[in-house]
Amino acid sequence: MKIIMLGAPGAGKGTQAKMIAETYKLPHVSTGDIFRANIKNNTELGKEAKTYMDKGELVPDELTVRILLDRVAQDDCKNGYVLDGFPRTIPQAEVLDSELDKLGEKVDFAIDVEVPDENIVRRMSGRRACLKCGATYHIVHIPPKKEGICDACGSELVQRDDDKEETVKNRLSVYHQQTQPLIDFYDNKGVLKTVDGTKDSAEVFEDIKRILG
Ligand code: ADP
Ligand code: ADP
Ligand code: ZN
């Protein structure tokens, strides 16, 4: 099963993708996590990606596509995956499509997690992230068991550099311009499913399970 998570930054794509990955035994592939791991390890890729991420802009398609195709070519992705944060532009979606086409495969579900912009800005200020395992928390809505520490791996939680209010606003405008058109793209392919992301995260996941079966 190949699943794509769509939605604005902070809509809850990562939170839901983690739950889907655990329940359906699929790898969770997040381009944002891959970039952040590279930034943490000070790689060339990390240095390049950071210049865009810090401004709330998208990393160029060419670089992003290369990273993503490398990742999904790995063995654990053979039986499918949950893509979180990719594709984010029509050209990215087209490359994915044509690569899958070559393999006689396709995207099974594109799940759009809908949350209005005004909720997003509030949500992002409370987001805390684990840069080691990619888990995310919210200081009010989804707090870790121990303040500042990741439940999953015990690492310290941080506020992401790009979760500052000004950067979030820019990311939202980039989302509306470049990523939102993917909703029609996948609707036209007949694989779009929409969920109400303003509900409690457990309820959102129940809705997703009903969709995936
Ligand atoms: P969020 O969880 O808020 O949606 P991500 O962790 O998915 O954010 O992405 C963080 C940043 O990484 C983005 O703002 C962008 O700069 C970069 N990025 C991640 N995925 C992509 C992509 N598919 N194309 C271009 N840039 C990306
Ligand atoms: P995305 O991957 O779409 O950027 P995240 O999954 O990181 O979004 O969620 C953004 C923030 O909102 C995090 O702090 C997360 O803990 C919190 N969050 C996720 N889902 C919900 C929800 N349904 N209700 C309230 N807060 C949520
Ligand atoms: Zn962790």
Side-chain angles (χ1 to χ4, degrees):
M1 192 154 57
K2 296 186 187 62
I3 303 166
I4 286 176
M5 305 304 293
L6 296 175
K13 300 181 297 299
T15 302
Q16 297 301 326
K18 284 250 174 212
M19 293 196 264
I20 296 170
E22 265 171 44
T23 305
Y24 293 86
K25 307 277 177 263
L26 295 169
H28 168 213
V29 175
S30 157
T31 39
D33 285 353
I34 296 173
F35 290 140
R36 280 185 291 278
N38 276 275
I39 292 172
K40 198 168 171 230
N41 296 326
N42 231 327
T43 67
E44 283 307 311
L45 165 67
K47 281 180 211 159
E48 177 162 9
K50 187 170 167 46
T51 61
Y52 299 97
M53 291 168 76
D54 282 352
K55 287 184 275 187
E57 291 170 7
L58 294 184
V59 177
D61 284 343
E62 200 194 82
L63 183 61
T64 307
V65 162
R66 186 150 47 80
I67 298 306
L68 188 277
L69 293 182
D70 273 2
R71 178 64 190 87
V72 298
Q74 287 169 23
D75 246 17
D76 63 327
C77 289
K78 265 207 187 93
N79 296 320
Y81 38 77
V82 191
L83 292 190
D84 161 21
F86 185 99
R88 256 184 163 93
T89 65
I90 294 281
Q92 290 180 11
E94 284 172 341
V95 174
L96 178 65
D97 232 46
S98 72
E99 289 299 314
L100 288 175
D101 210 43
K102 284 183 207 165
L103 303 168
E105 295 170 3
K106 64 177 187 57
V107 169
D108 299 294
F109 298 98
I111 301 173
D112 180 30
V113 184
E114 273 189 337
V115 176
D117 285 10
E118 50 278 19
N119 299 32
I120 297 281
V121 179
R122 257 180 290 136
R123 252 190 212 185
M124 298 297 241
S125 61
R127 170 154 70 182
R128 295 295 179 270
C130 173
L131 297 183
K132 182 145 186 248
C133 77
T136 54
Y137 302 86
H138 189 282
I139 51 176
V140 179
H141 305 299
I142 308 178
K145 292 197 184 78
K146 186 158 180 265
E147 195 185 318
I149 303 293
C150 179
D151 292 350
C153 76
S155 300
E156 210 173 311
L157 300 176
V158 297
Q159 178 158 32
R160 279 167 44 177
D161 289 341
D162 60 346
D163 278 351
K164 292 190 295 266
E165 188 168 335
E166 271 318 297
T167 318
V168 169
K169 286 188 177 148
N170 194 35
R171 286 161 66 200
L172 274 173
S173 101
V174 167
Y175 167 75
H176 290 300
Q177 281 171 32
Q178 304 200 55
T179 308
Q180 214 168 13
L182 293 176
I183 294 174
D184 281 343
F185 180 93
Y186 286 109
D187 197 14
N188 289 333
K189 296 192 178 290
V191 297
L192 182 74
K193 304 286 173 188
T194 304
V195 295
D196 177 358
T198 64
K199 294 183 187 173
D200 179 88
S201 62
E203 288 175 57
V204 179
F205 187 54
E206 287 305 313
D207 292 343
I208 291 178
K209 276 197 292 194
R210 266 191 291 275
I211 290 167
L212 300 179

